[in-house]
Structure formats: structure tokens, C-alpha cells
Amino acid sequence: MFHAKIKSEVLKGIVDVVSTLVDEAKFNMNADGFDLKAVDPAHVAMIEMNVEKGAFEEFTADETELGIDLDKIKEVLRLARSGDIIEMKQDEEKNRLVLNVGNITRRMNLVDITGMSDPRVPNLSLPAMVEVTSDELQKGIRAAESVSDHIALTATPEDFEMYSEGDTDSATLRLPKELLLSLECEEQVKSLFPLDYFSNMVRSIPAGSAVSINLGSDYPVKLEFEIADKKGSVRYLLAPRIESD
Amino acid sequence: MFHAKIKSEVLKGIVDVVSTLVDEAKFNMNADGFDLKAVDPAHVAMIEMNVEKGAFEEFTADETELGIDLDKIKEVLRLARSGDIIEMKQDEEKNRLVLNVGNITRRMNLVDITGMSDPRVPNLSLPAMVEVTSDELQKGIRAAESVSDHIALTATPEDFEMYSEGDTDSATLRLPKELLLSLECEEQVKSLFPLDYFSNMVRSIPAGSAVSINLGSDYPVKLEFEIADKKGSVRYLLAPRIESD
Amino acid sequence: MFHAKIKSEVLKGIVDVVSTLVDEAKFNMNADGFDLKAVDPAHVAMIEMNVEKGAFEEFTADETELGIDLDKIKEVLRLARSGDIIEMKQDEEKNRLVLNVGNITRRMNLVDITGMSDPRVPNLSLPAMVEVTSDELQKGIRAAESVSDHIALTATPEDFEMYSEGDTDSATLRLPKELLLSLECEEQVKSLFPLDYFSNMVRSIPAGSAVSINLGSDYPVKLEFEIADKKGSVRYLLAPRIESD
């Protein structure tokens, strides 16, 4: 059983972050909220998300798993204005999700969750931690976009750098310690990532958010940030590309 | 002979409503204004329009028929700002229409009207009448769009409903009596319509207008509304799709 | 050696005007600023530009020629906001141009200038001179666009006219003397031009600028205007199409 009401912009934030990696996802509901783990189809990136019931206006749920088509939720969100309340109700008999916005009712079949097992989250020990606003990350991504389809993230005890290099051009965003929210780094670490994945992840982070970046050398990067007015948290993991020198 | 001046936004309203169904139309001018009847190329929908001379800033016309390419009028409208006056003059000798906006003069050949006869408007007896704002209709259409390419309109003595059903999903906008401008319905009637036609028709209605919808069971729907600051009226007819159960 | 700082919107104005005709250009730098001459690949149009060092916030240059890929400068401009200062520095050792905006550094190879000789500017004696705002030119171009891919410019002692004629339609913008900034014309002159070139040139002129148009009969047109807050000047030349009667 699942029955909840949620502000449209909060639901939109949740959906944006998940749909960056997958079109359909299994939401594990319980009395306190929900969590979710998913891996993108190419097995390059992973998302872990927890949202407390406090992110909802109303929330009642038994322990249950709901397979949800995120594109359909987006369609409903397009019918709502910011501030509108969206009611979500599980119709257990018909295995459907029923959404209400104002006078509009939208019924959608739940997605088959057979085979949608929760992926195992790898246990990573990442030596460097950089805390930065999502706006700075956006800036670095925009500088990189025309130059290459890869981006190198480097942390040193002094700064954090986003660097892209093409055949004839390069682009660098260098953020010295003073422009970071915090920096923990004993010695330089550097990893290279596919720009499209990294860019999509960063784009889904609410504007003005603090993002904590855990980084190693030729290791996955972990991005952590809060959503739903601090009632939810997200961890993205992205696998590195190994540089051939 | 035809010579008139009209505010660009009034002319735009007229053109938008007609060009929803046809690219070219025969305007029947007379001393009091003009009327127009047209059927779309697929013979699914029909428009009837009357506009009084009072919708124009100046208006002089003999009884005459003008074949007008609506896309060309749209091009001229793109050169005008809201509030601009557009002058239209028939050049009988060269069989052209001459439009002036500010210092710009646009001359266009009139379209051959041979064979553009006025269609016969069917005499329909439609038992239900719903009056509603165009904004509510827009909302129902947006909800339906991602679900199906058909939309069912239902009137009961209690409410008006727009309903779409796809393979796995459905969308409903239910407007109870209190949210309607008026409702006359003795017993439930329901007809199914092609969504693209219905959506285009509704989109051409000025925002915030009152629309009167005449409805039967498996019968055409008739939409009536006013344009040109109540100096013009439009009736759209749209043929139903018969539901196969 | 070249090292300069410039406001992003000034650099954008310069790049827009040049990139209308060419993707890459040779900038001839000297202690007082730079000049540039270029012909479009089809040899239909030419640009001559002079910009004083006063257009820059800081400017130091030896006499040197820099081959610059204008698309790359545009990419950097997209990273800047209006008011941002862009630093440009030649890296002579690596034959690169290094641009800085805020914390972003963009390095780009200079373009090979072998064979990019300065074109010879023809010595034209054009009998008529019309001075007009770029906004009026824009209006005339928009009127012409849907009618033909040519535009005729006519000056008489009384007015300036932009005229386009297609198979069935024509569009005219007539600007009588009173709507022009100035008019010097002893007898009617008229030339026909390719609309796409003329339109692109006019579009690159800063909005609200005064443009001086030098015109003859079946002769090239010369457009002159100022950029960079009057610290730079541009001359465009466009070859006529000869009308076949």
C-alpha cells in the first residue's frame, strides 16, 4: 500500500535526479519514506537515493516495491504548476499508480520489477574530498564541452581543477581552496571521466546546492548532495576512463 | 471592391482560427463585414465564421469573394507589432491584395476561387450543451496528449469529462458542474474525437474565452466562441470517431 | 607579442561582424590596435575593420599577425556574462592563444596564416549615400524574406526603397527622406543583391546603429558603421546581382 501527496517541484527534483541514469526504477517504500538504487544500462554509473517521508505533504506506505516509469511521471509534472500538490495512490488490485493534479487523474500501469534487483554499492576508499557549489561545476562543464568528450578532475592540497583537452585546444577551470566550500586532500589525485555522464549528473543537481565530491586516482568519483529541502540525499557514482599515455 | 484597416492582433485572431483547418479560404465580403465557410482537406472538420465590419477600424466592401492565402497574411502579421494597423486593399485590375503596415507594402496574388464553393452546414440536433473556458479545455488536452491520439468528451447532468485511454495508461479531466460556466444535459452523452483536430481547434481559441460545446452520443461536436472583441463568431464542427467495443 | 583585456560584449560585437563572412581571420595587430580585411569563400562580399586599442581595457601588441578561429572565440564568449573581462594572451612558444574568463582558461592553437593575404579593397565611386538606422534595414529584410531571395536597393533624391519580388508576390519598404538620417542622391540608382548575404551583414550590426549605405546602379553596395563604442569601424562590401530583364 502506498498513498502520498507531494509538491510538484519536490517530485520533479526526485525524478530529474533518477531519470538521469534510468527510465524506469524500483522504489522501495516503507513507513519512513523510500530508497532506491539503480545502475545505468551501460553499467558506467550508479545512483543511491534516500527520501524521508518528511519530503512529502502526506505519506503512508507499507513495505512495498513500486516499479515506476519516470517518463510518465514527467508527463504528469508538465500538467502541474510549481506549488501544485500531486496525489499518488497505488491501486493494488489493478497494479496501477493513480496520480491526481487538480481535476486531472492519470492512471499508469506499474512496471514489472522482476529482475530489477538492487545493485550492490561498491565499498570505495576515496582519499580526497572537495566540497563545491553545483554552479561552479556547471561552469567547468560548459568550458569543457566544446573541447573534448572527457573531463579530468584533479584535487591537490591547494585546489580543485576540471580539465579537458582536445587535439588543438584545452579548457581549464581552476578553483583555488578559497573558492571551495571545503577541501580535504593530502596529495594530488586525478581521474578522467566521460563528459556526457558527468554533465548529466551535475545538471540534475538543484542549482546552488553544495556538492561533495570524493575523488581518487583512476578511481570512480562519488558525488553527494541533498534534495527535497534536505529531506532526501543522493549519491552518484561514476566509473573512470583510464588515460592511455 | 474591398478596402479595410484592422488592428494586427484582430487580424491574427481571425487568421489563426481559419488556418487551423485550411491554408486558403474564400472570404465572402459584403457591406456589413464578411463570412466564411470551409472544410478541411480530410473532410473531418468544418468552420463557419462571421465577422462584422465593426471588428475593423475602417471597412468598405462590395459584395465580392476573395480567395486568400492565409500563410501570406501570417507573414505580414509577423512584420507588425500588436497595436499596428494593417491596411488591406483589393487591386481589382491586377487581381491582387495589397497590404500596408507602416512603411511596408506587401502585394499578393489572390487565390483562384473556382471550385471553392461554400460547404453545406449539416443540421444537427445535439442534446447536451456545456459552457467552459478555453483554458480548462487546454488542460484536458495536455493531460490526454501523452496517453492516446483520441479523446472522449462526456457530458452528464453532473459534470463534463475529457478522457483518453492508451494501452497501459489513462488520463481524465473531470469538471463538475461548479467548475463549468453552464451545463445543460438531461442524460449522459459521449463521443470520441481525433485528438490532433480537437487540440488544434482549441489552441486557436483566444485564451480565457468562454466556449460553448454542443455534444451528442457518437455525433459531431460543435464548438462556438467569439473572436475580434465579440465582433466575430466562430463555429467549429468536428466529426466523431466511432468506438469499436 | 599580444596581450590584452577586453569586455566580453565588445569582443562579441567584433566577432559577430567578422564571422558573418569568414570562420577564420587574420588579425593584423600593432601598437595602436588591429585591423583586418577578409573576403568570404564565395568572393561575393568583403569586410574591412579597424579597432583602436581604446576599445580594449588593456592592450599591448607588437606588429604581428594572428590567425584566429572565430568559432572558438564564440565558445569562450558563451562562458562569459556581459561585463566580464576576457584576457587574451599570445603564447609565442607554443603558437597558441590563451584566453581567461574568471577561473576558466581556454588554450587554442593559432590558425595557419600562410596564404591568408589581405585582399585588395576595390576603389569604388558610388554616387548615392543613404544614412539609416539598422532597425529600419532589419524591417525591410524581414518583409523581403518570404517573397524572394533577392533584394533591390533603390535611392532617389526623395527616398530609399528596399524591394523584393517573387512569382506572385512583392514586398516594399519605402523610407521617405524624413525617415532617413541623411540622403545624398542626385538621380535614381538601383542595384540588386543576394538577400542572404545582405541579411547576415545587417544582422551583425549593433541594434540602433546608424549605417551609411553607399550605392550605385548595378554596383556593389558599401555599408559602414561603428562598433566597440565608436572605437572601431567596419566597412562591408557586397557584390550586386545583375538583373536580367
Side-chain angles (χ1 to χ4, degrees), chain C residues 164-222:
Chain C
S164 262
E165 189 180 302
D167 287 342
T168 59
D169 287 32
S170 72
T172 314
L173 175 73
R174 183 182 169 267
L175 297 171
K177 219 169 174 167
E178 308 81 63
L179 290 178
L180 300 171
L181 302 174
S182 72
L183 175 65
E184 290 168 27
C185 182
E186 305 241 319
E187 53 175 11
Q188 176 178 317
V189 292
K190 179 179 172 189
S191 295
L192 187 72
F193 299 99
L195 182 55
D196 52 352
Y197 273 88
F198 188 68
S199 154
N200 284 337
M201 287 174 165
V202 170
R203 196 173 300 136
S204 82
I205 302 175
S209 296
V211 184
S212 111
I213 305 177
N214 288 271
L215 202 62
S217 279
D218 293 331
Y219 249 71
V221 65
K222 180 158 78 171

Short mmCIF file of all heavy atoms in Angstrom, two decimals, chain C residues 164-222:
data_model
loop_
_atom_site.label_atom_id
_atom_site.label_comp_id
_atom_site.label_asym_id
_atom_site.label_seq_id
_atom_site.Cartn_x
_atom_site.Cartn_y
_atom_site.Cartn_z
N SER C 164 11.51 43.57 -52.91
CA SER C 164 11.69 42.16 -53.29
C SER C 164 10.50 41.71 -54.12
O SER C 164 9.37 42.07 -53.81
CB SER C 164 11.79 41.27 -52.04
OG SER C 164 13.12 41.01 -51.74
N GLU C 165 10.77 40.90 -55.14
CA GLU C 165 9.68 40.45 -55.99
C GLU C 165 9.80 38.96 -56.26
O GLU C 165 10.86 38.49 -56.69
CB GLU C 165 9.72 41.22 -57.31
CG GLU C 165 8.50 40.99 -58.16
CD GLU C 165 8.56 41.78 -59.47
OE1 GLU C 165 8.67 43.02 -59.39
OE2 GLU C 165 8.53 41.14 -60.52
N GLY C 166 8.73 38.21 -55.95
CA GLY C 166 8.70 36.79 -56.28
C GLY C 166 7.75 36.56 -57.45
O GLY C 166 7.36 37.50 -58.13
N ASP C 167 7.36 35.31 -57.65
CA ASP C 167 6.49 34.99 -58.79
C ASP C 167 5.11 35.64 -58.64
O ASP C 167 4.55 36.15 -59.60
CB ASP C 167 6.33 33.47 -58.91
CG ASP C 167 7.60 32.82 -59.43
OD1 ASP C 167 8.44 33.56 -60.01
OD2 ASP C 167 7.76 31.62 -59.26
N THR C 168 4.57 35.59 -57.43
CA THR C 168 3.20 36.08 -57.26
C THR C 168 3.14 37.26 -56.30
O THR C 168 2.10 37.91 -56.21
CB THR C 168 2.31 34.97 -56.66
OG1 THR C 168 2.87 34.59 -55.40
CG2 THR C 168 2.25 33.76 -57.56
N ASP C 169 4.23 37.51 -55.58
CA ASP C 169 4.16 38.49 -54.50
C ASP C 169 5.30 39.49 -54.58
O ASP C 169 6.34 39.22 -55.17
CB ASP C 169 4.29 37.79 -53.15
CG ASP C 169 3.05 37.02 -52.79
OD1 ASP C 169 2.40 36.51 -53.70
OD2 ASP C 169 2.76 36.93 -51.60
N SER C 170 5.09 40.61 -53.94
CA SER C 170 6.18 41.57 -53.80
C SER C 170 6.12 42.21 -52.42
O SER C 170 5.06 42.22 -51.78
CB SER C 170 6.11 42.64 -54.87
OG SER C 170 5.03 43.51 -54.61
N ALA C 171 7.26 42.70 -51.94
CA ALA C 171 7.31 43.40 -50.66
C ALA C 171 8.19 44.64 -50.82
O ALA C 171 9.25 44.57 -51.44
CB ALA C 171 7.88 42.50 -49.58
N THR C 172 7.72 45.73 -50.28
CA THR C 172 8.44 47.00 -50.39
C THR C 172 8.55 47.66 -49.02
O THR C 172 7.55 47.70 -48.29
CB THR C 172 7.66 47.99 -51.29
OG1 THR C 172 7.23 47.32 -52.45
CG2 THR C 172 8.52 49.19 -51.65
N LEU C 173 9.72 48.14 -48.68
CA LEU C 173 9.83 49.10 -47.57
C LEU C 173 10.29 50.41 -48.19
O LEU C 173 11.38 50.48 -48.76
CB LEU C 173 10.84 48.64 -46.51
CG LEU C 173 11.07 49.68 -45.39
CD1 LEU C 173 9.88 49.74 -44.45
CD2 LEU C 173 12.33 49.37 -44.61
N ARG C 174 9.47 51.43 -48.08
CA ARG C 174 9.82 52.74 -48.64
C ARG C 174 10.08 53.70 -47.49
O ARG C 174 9.23 53.89 -46.62
CB ARG C 174 8.66 53.26 -49.50
CG ARG C 174 9.00 54.58 -50.17
CD ARG C 174 7.88 55.15 -50.99
NE ARG C 174 8.23 56.51 -51.35
CZ ARG C 174 7.88 57.59 -50.65
NH1 ARG C 174 7.12 57.47 -49.58
NH2 ARG C 174 8.30 58.80 -51.02
N LEU C 175 11.28 54.26 -47.46
CA LEU C 175 11.62 55.22 -46.42
C LEU C 175 11.80 56.59 -47.06
O LEU C 175 12.82 56.86 -47.70
CB LEU C 175 12.92 54.79 -45.72
CG LEU C 175 12.86 53.45 -44.98
CD1 LEU C 175 14.25 53.03 -44.52
CD2 LEU C 175 11.94 53.56 -43.76
N PRO C 176 10.80 57.48 -46.92
CA PRO C 176 10.97 58.83 -47.47
C PRO C 176 12.08 59.55 -46.69
O PRO C 176 12.39 59.19 -45.55
CB PRO C 176 9.61 59.47 -47.25
CG PRO C 176 8.98 58.70 -46.15
CD PRO C 176 9.54 57.32 -46.23
N LYS C 177 12.65 60.53 -47.35
CA LYS C 177 13.72 61.37 -46.80
C LYS C 177 13.59 61.64 -45.30
O LYS C 177 14.55 61.58 -44.55
CB LYS C 177 13.66 62.71 -47.54
CG LYS C 177 14.99 63.32 -47.88
CD LYS C 177 14.79 64.49 -48.84
CE LYS C 177 16.11 65.20 -49.09
NZ LYS C 177 16.00 66.12 -50.24
N GLU C 178 12.36 61.95 -44.86
CA GLU C 178 12.13 62.36 -43.47
C GLU C 178 12.44 61.23 -42.50
O GLU C 178 12.71 61.47 -41.32
CB GLU C 178 10.68 62.81 -43.26
CG GLU C 178 10.17 63.86 -44.22
CD GLU C 178 9.75 63.23 -45.55
OE1 GLU C 178 8.82 62.43 -45.55
OE2 GLU C 178 10.40 63.55 -46.58
N LEU C 179 12.38 59.99 -42.95
CA LEU C 179 12.65 58.86 -42.06
C LEU C 179 14.11 58.41 -42.14
O LEU C 179 14.50 57.45 -41.49
CB LEU C 179 11.72 57.69 -42.37
CG LEU C 179 10.25 57.89 -42.00
CD1 LEU C 179 9.43 56.67 -42.40
CD2 LEU C 179 10.10 58.14 -40.50
N LEU C 180 14.91 59.10 -42.95
CA LEU C 180 16.32 58.75 -43.05
C LEU C 180 17.15 59.70 -42.21
O LEU C 180 16.74 60.83 -41.94
CB LEU C 180 16.77 58.82 -44.52
CG LEU C 180 16.02 57.90 -45.48
CD1 LEU C 180 16.38 58.22 -46.92
CD2 LEU C 180 16.34 56.43 -45.16
N LEU C 181 18.33 59.28 -41.80
CA LEU C 181 19.23 60.16 -41.07
C LEU C 181 19.84 61.18 -42.02
O LEU C 181 20.04 62.34 -41.66
CB LEU C 181 20.31 59.34 -40.37
CG LEU C 181 19.77 58.28 -39.39
CD1 LEU C 181 20.91 57.41 -38.86
CD2 LEU C 181 19.05 58.96 -38.23
N SER C 182 20.13 60.75 -43.25
CA SER C 182 20.55 61.69 -44.29
C SER C 182 20.43 60.99 -45.65
O SER C 182 20.36 59.76 -45.73
CB SER C 182 21.98 62.20 -44.05
OG SER C 182 22.91 61.19 -44.32
N LEU C 183 20.41 61.78 -46.69
CA LEU C 183 20.27 61.24 -48.06
C LEU C 183 20.99 62.17 -49.02
O LEU C 183 20.72 63.36 -49.08
CB LEU C 183 18.77 61.16 -48.43
CG LEU C 183 18.44 60.74 -49.87
CD1 LEU C 183 18.88 59.31 -50.14
CD2 LEU C 183 16.94 60.87 -50.13
N GLU C 184 21.96 61.59 -49.74
CA GLU C 184 22.62 62.34 -50.80
C GLU C 184 22.46 61.55 -52.09
O GLU C 184 23.04 60.48 -52.24
CB GLU C 184 24.12 62.51 -50.49
CG GLU C 184 24.40 63.44 -49.33
CD GLU C 184 25.84 63.35 -48.87
OE1 GLU C 184 26.71 63.02 -49.71
OE2 GLU C 184 26.09 63.58 -47.68
N CYS C 185 21.65 62.08 -52.99
CA CYS C 185 21.37 61.33 -54.22
C CYS C 185 20.90 62.32 -55.28
O CYS C 185 19.89 62.99 -55.11
CB CYS C 185 20.28 60.28 -53.93
SG CYS C 185 19.89 59.27 -55.36
N GLU C 186 21.65 62.38 -56.39
CA GLU C 186 21.29 63.34 -57.44
C GLU C 186 20.28 62.74 -58.40
O GLU C 186 19.39 63.41 -58.89
CB GLU C 186 22.55 63.75 -58.19
CG GLU C 186 23.64 64.31 -57.28
CD GLU C 186 24.00 65.74 -57.63
OE1 GLU C 186 24.08 66.05 -58.83
OE2 GLU C 186 24.16 66.55 -56.67
N GLU C 187 20.46 61.47 -58.71
CA GLU C 187 19.48 60.82 -59.59
C GLU C 187 19.34 59.36 -59.16
O GLU C 187 20.21 58.81 -58.49
CB GLU C 187 19.92 60.90 -61.04
CG GLU C 187 21.33 60.40 -61.30
CD GLU C 187 21.69 60.37 -62.78
OE1 GLU C 187 20.93 60.95 -63.58
OE2 GLU C 187 22.71 59.75 -63.11
N GLN C 188 18.24 58.72 -59.54
CA GLN C 188 17.95 57.37 -59.05
C GLN C 188 19.06 56.38 -59.37
O GLN C 188 19.55 56.33 -60.50
CB GLN C 188 16.62 56.90 -59.66
CG GLN C 188 16.32 55.45 -59.25
CD GLN C 188 15.00 54.96 -59.78
OE1 GLN C 188 14.00 55.68 -59.74
NE2 GLN C 188 14.98 53.74 -60.25
N VAL C 189 19.44 55.60 -58.35
CA VAL C 189 20.36 54.47 -58.56
C VAL C 189 19.69 53.23 -57.98
O VAL C 189 18.91 53.31 -57.04
CB VAL C 189 21.73 54.69 -57.87
CG1 VAL C 189 22.50 55.82 -58.53
CG2 VAL C 189 21.54 54.96 -56.39
N LYS C 190 20.01 52.07 -58.55
CA LYS C 190 19.36 50.84 -58.11
C LYS C 190 20.27 49.65 -58.36
O LYS C 190 20.84 49.52 -59.45
CB LYS C 190 18.05 50.65 -58.88
CG LYS C 190 17.29 49.38 -58.51
CD LYS C 190 15.99 49.28 -59.28
CE LYS C 190 15.34 47.93 -59.04
NZ LYS C 190 14.19 47.72 -59.94
N SER C 191 20.41 48.80 -57.36
CA SER C 191 21.18 47.57 -57.54
C SER C 191 20.46 46.43 -56.83
O SER C 191 19.74 46.65 -55.86
CB SER C 191 22.60 47.72 -56.97
OG SER C 191 23.34 48.69 -57.68
N LEU C 192 20.71 45.23 -57.32
CA LEU C 192 20.05 44.03 -56.78
C LEU C 192 21.09 43.19 -56.03
O LEU C 192 22.21 43.01 -56.52
CB LEU C 192 19.47 43.22 -57.94
CG LEU C 192 18.60 42.03 -57.61
CD1 LEU C 192 17.25 42.50 -57.06
CD2 LEU C 192 18.38 41.16 -58.85
N PHE C 193 20.72 42.66 -54.84
CA PHE C 193 21.69 41.91 -54.04
C PHE C 193 21.12 40.58 -53.55
O PHE C 193 19.90 40.45 -53.40
CB PHE C 193 22.12 42.75 -52.83
CG PHE C 193 22.77 44.03 -53.23
CD1 PHE C 193 22.05 45.22 -53.25
CD2 PHE C 193 24.09 44.05 -53.64
CE1 PHE C 193 22.64 46.41 -53.67
CE2 PHE C 193 24.69 45.23 -54.05
CZ PHE C 193 23.96 46.40 -54.06
N PRO C 194 22.02 39.63 -53.30
CA PRO C 194 21.56 38.36 -52.71
C PRO C 194 21.08 38.64 -51.28
O PRO C 194 21.81 39.20 -50.47
CB PRO C 194 22.80 37.47 -52.72
CG PRO C 194 23.96 38.40 -52.84
CD PRO C 194 23.48 39.63 -53.54
N LEU C 195 19.83 38.20 -50.98
CA LEU C 195 19.23 38.58 -49.70
C LEU C 195 19.95 37.95 -48.51
O LEU C 195 20.08 38.56 -47.45
CB LEU C 195 17.74 38.18 -49.69
CG LEU C 195 16.95 38.55 -48.45
CD1 LEU C 195 17.05 40.03 -48.15
CD2 LEU C 195 15.50 38.15 -48.61
N ASP C 196 20.44 36.70 -48.67
CA ASP C 196 21.06 36.04 -47.52
C ASP C 196 22.31 36.79 -47.05
O ASP C 196 22.48 37.04 -45.85
CB ASP C 196 21.38 34.56 -47.83
CG ASP C 196 22.16 34.38 -49.11
OD1 ASP C 196 22.35 35.36 -49.85
OD2 ASP C 196 22.60 33.25 -49.38
N TYR C 197 23.15 37.20 -47.98
CA TYR C 197 24.33 37.98 -47.60
C TYR C 197 23.94 39.30 -46.95
O TYR C 197 24.45 39.66 -45.89
CB TYR C 197 25.20 38.29 -48.83
CG TYR C 197 26.19 37.21 -49.15
CD1 TYR C 197 25.85 36.15 -49.97
CD2 TYR C 197 27.48 37.26 -48.64
CE1 TYR C 197 26.77 35.17 -50.28
CE2 TYR C 197 28.40 36.28 -48.94
CZ TYR C 197 28.05 35.23 -49.76
OH TYR C 197 28.96 34.26 -50.05
N PHE C 198 23.04 40.00 -47.62
CA PHE C 198 22.68 41.33 -47.12
C PHE C 198 22.06 41.21 -45.72
O PHE C 198 22.37 41.98 -44.81
CB PHE C 198 21.69 41.99 -48.08
CG PHE C 198 21.41 43.42 -47.75
CD1 PHE C 198 22.38 44.39 -47.87
CD2 PHE C 198 20.16 43.81 -47.29
CE1 PHE C 198 22.13 45.72 -47.56
CE2 PHE C 198 19.89 45.13 -46.97
CZ PHE C 198 20.87 46.09 -47.09
N SER C 199 21.23 40.19 -45.55
CA SER C 199 20.56 39.98 -44.27
C SER C 199 21.55 39.64 -43.16
O SER C 199 21.49 40.16 -42.05
CB SER C 199 19.51 38.88 -44.45
OG SER C 199 19.25 38.24 -43.26
N ASN C 200 22.52 38.77 -43.46
CA ASN C 200 23.52 38.42 -42.44
C ASN C 200 24.37 39.62 -42.04
O ASN C 200 24.70 39.80 -40.87
CB ASN C 200 24.43 37.30 -42.95
CG ASN C 200 23.75 35.95 -42.92
OD1 ASN C 200 22.80 35.77 -42.16
ND2 ASN C 200 24.19 35.02 -43.73
N MET C 201 24.73 40.42 -43.02
CA MET C 201 25.51 41.62 -42.71
C MET C 201 24.73 42.55 -41.80
O MET C 201 25.24 43.01 -40.77
CB MET C 201 25.84 42.36 -44.02
CG MET C 201 26.89 41.66 -44.85
SD MET C 201 27.07 42.51 -46.43
CE MET C 201 28.63 41.80 -46.98
N VAL C 202 23.50 42.82 -42.17
CA VAL C 202 22.69 43.76 -41.38
C VAL C 202 22.45 43.21 -39.98
O VAL C 202 22.48 43.94 -38.99
CB VAL C 202 21.36 44.07 -42.10
CG1 VAL C 202 20.42 44.84 -41.20
CG2 VAL C 202 21.63 44.86 -43.38
N ARG C 203 22.26 41.89 -39.89
CA ARG C 203 22.01 41.29 -38.58
C ARG C 203 23.20 41.46 -37.63
O ARG C 203 23.03 41.49 -36.41
CB ARG C 203 21.66 39.81 -38.75
CG ARG C 203 21.02 39.20 -37.52
CD ARG C 203 20.53 37.79 -37.78
NE ARG C 203 19.54 37.77 -38.85
CZ ARG C 203 19.50 36.89 -39.85
NH1 ARG C 203 20.39 35.92 -39.91
NH2 ARG C 203 18.56 36.96 -40.78
N SER C 204 24.40 41.55 -38.18
CA SER C 204 25.58 41.66 -37.31
C SER C 204 25.82 43.09 -36.84
O SER C 204 26.69 43.34 -36.00
CB SER C 204 26.81 41.14 -38.05
OG SER C 204 27.33 42.14 -38.91
N ILE C 205 25.08 44.05 -37.39
CA ILE C 205 25.25 45.45 -36.99
C ILE C 205 24.59 45.66 -35.63
O ILE C 205 23.46 45.22 -35.42
CB ILE C 205 24.63 46.40 -38.04
CG1 ILE C 205 25.28 46.17 -39.42
CG2 ILE C 205 24.78 47.85 -37.61
CD1 ILE C 205 24.65 46.97 -40.54
N PRO C 206 25.27 46.33 -34.68
CA PRO C 206 24.65 46.55 -33.37
C PRO C 206 23.29 47.25 -33.52
O PRO C 206 23.16 48.16 -34.33
CB PRO C 206 25.65 47.46 -32.66
CG PRO C 206 26.96 47.23 -33.33
CD PRO C 206 26.65 46.87 -34.75
N ALA C 207 22.29 46.78 -32.77
CA ALA C 207 20.95 47.37 -32.84
C ALA C 207 21.01 48.86 -32.56
O ALA C 207 21.76 49.32 -31.71
CB ALA C 207 20.03 46.68 -31.83
N GLY C 208 20.23 49.61 -33.31
CA GLY C 208 20.16 51.05 -33.08
C GLY C 208 21.29 51.84 -33.70
O GLY C 208 21.39 53.05 -33.50
N SER C 209 22.19 51.17 -34.44
CA SER C 209 23.32 51.87 -35.06
C SER C 209 22.87 52.68 -36.26
O SER C 209 21.91 52.33 -36.94
CB SER C 209 24.36 50.88 -35.56
OG SER C 209 24.93 50.17 -34.50
N ALA C 210 23.62 53.74 -36.53
CA ALA C 210 23.47 54.44 -37.81
C ALA C 210 24.36 53.73 -38.82
O ALA C 210 25.52 53.45 -38.55
CB ALA C 210 23.92 55.89 -37.65
N VAL C 211 23.79 53.43 -39.98
CA VAL C 211 24.53 52.75 -41.03
C VAL C 211 24.57 53.67 -42.24
O VAL C 211 23.54 54.23 -42.62
CB VAL C 211 23.82 51.44 -41.44
CG1 VAL C 211 24.66 50.69 -42.47
CG2 VAL C 211 23.53 50.58 -40.23
N SER C 212 25.75 53.83 -42.82
CA SER C 212 25.78 54.62 -44.05
C SER C 212 25.91 53.66 -45.22
O SER C 212 26.77 52.77 -45.23
CB SER C 212 26.86 55.68 -43.97
OG SER C 212 27.89 55.40 -44.85
N ILE C 213 25.02 53.81 -46.18
CA ILE C 213 24.94 52.91 -47.33
C ILE C 213 25.38 53.67 -48.57
O ILE C 213 24.76 54.68 -48.92
CB ILE C 213 23.49 52.42 -47.53
CG1 ILE C 213 22.97 51.76 -46.24
CG2 ILE C 213 23.39 51.46 -48.69
CD1 ILE C 213 21.53 51.31 -46.34
N ASN C 214 26.44 53.22 -49.22
CA ASN C 214 26.85 53.83 -50.48
C ASN C 214 26.41 52.94 -51.62
O ASN C 214 26.67 51.74 -51.61
CB ASN C 214 28.37 54.02 -50.50
CG ASN C 214 28.79 55.13 -49.57
OD1 ASN C 214 28.86 56.29 -49.96
ND2 ASN C 214 29.05 54.79 -48.32
N LEU C 215 25.76 53.55 -52.60
CA LEU C 215 25.01 52.78 -53.59
C LEU C 215 25.22 53.35 -54.99
O LEU C 215 25.38 54.56 -55.16
CB LEU C 215 23.52 52.88 -53.21
CG LEU C 215 22.54 51.83 -53.69
CD1 LEU C 215 22.92 50.46 -53.13
CD2 LEU C 215 21.13 52.20 -53.26
N GLY C 216 25.22 52.48 -55.99
CA GLY C 216 25.24 52.90 -57.39
C GLY C 216 24.25 52.05 -58.17
O GLY C 216 23.42 51.35 -57.58
N SER C 217 24.32 52.10 -59.47
CA SER C 217 23.44 51.28 -60.31
C SER C 217 24.21 50.06 -60.79
O SER C 217 25.22 50.20 -61.49
CB SER C 217 22.90 52.09 -61.48
OG SER C 217 21.81 52.88 -61.07
N ASP C 218 23.71 48.87 -60.42
CA ASP C 218 24.41 47.62 -60.75
C ASP C 218 25.86 47.65 -60.28
O ASP C 218 26.77 47.21 -60.99
CB ASP C 218 24.30 47.31 -62.25
CG ASP C 218 22.87 47.01 -62.64
OD1 ASP C 218 22.12 46.51 -61.78
OD2 ASP C 218 22.49 47.29 -63.78
N TYR C 219 26.06 48.18 -59.10
CA TYR C 219 27.38 48.32 -58.49
C TYR C 219 27.34 47.69 -57.10
O TYR C 219 26.27 47.50 -56.54
CB TYR C 219 27.71 49.81 -58.35
CG TYR C 219 28.82 50.25 -59.27
CD1 TYR C 219 28.59 50.33 -60.65
CD2 TYR C 219 30.07 50.57 -58.77
CE1 TYR C 219 29.63 50.72 -61.49
CE2 TYR C 219 31.10 50.98 -59.62
CZ TYR C 219 30.87 51.04 -60.97
OH TYR C 219 31.89 51.42 -61.80
N PRO C 220 28.50 47.37 -56.55
CA PRO C 220 28.48 46.86 -55.16
C PRO C 220 27.90 47.90 -54.20
O PRO C 220 27.95 49.10 -54.48
CB PRO C 220 29.97 46.62 -54.85
CG PRO C 220 30.62 46.46 -56.16
CD PRO C 220 29.87 47.34 -57.11
N VAL C 221 27.38 47.42 -53.09
CA VAL C 221 26.93 48.33 -52.03
C VAL C 221 28.00 48.33 -50.94
O VAL C 221 28.64 47.31 -50.68
CB VAL C 221 25.55 47.91 -51.46
CG1 VAL C 221 25.61 46.56 -50.75
CG2 VAL C 221 25.00 48.96 -50.49
N LYS C 222 28.18 49.48 -50.32
CA LYS C 222 29.11 49.57 -49.19
C LYS C 222 28.33 49.98 -47.95
O LYS C 222 27.61 50.99 -47.97
CB LYS C 222 30.20 50.60 -49.50
CG LYS C 222 31.22 50.76 -48.37
CD LYS C 222 32.54 51.33 -48.85
CE LYS C 222 32.47 52.82 -49.05
NZ LYS C 222 33.81 53.42 -49.30
#
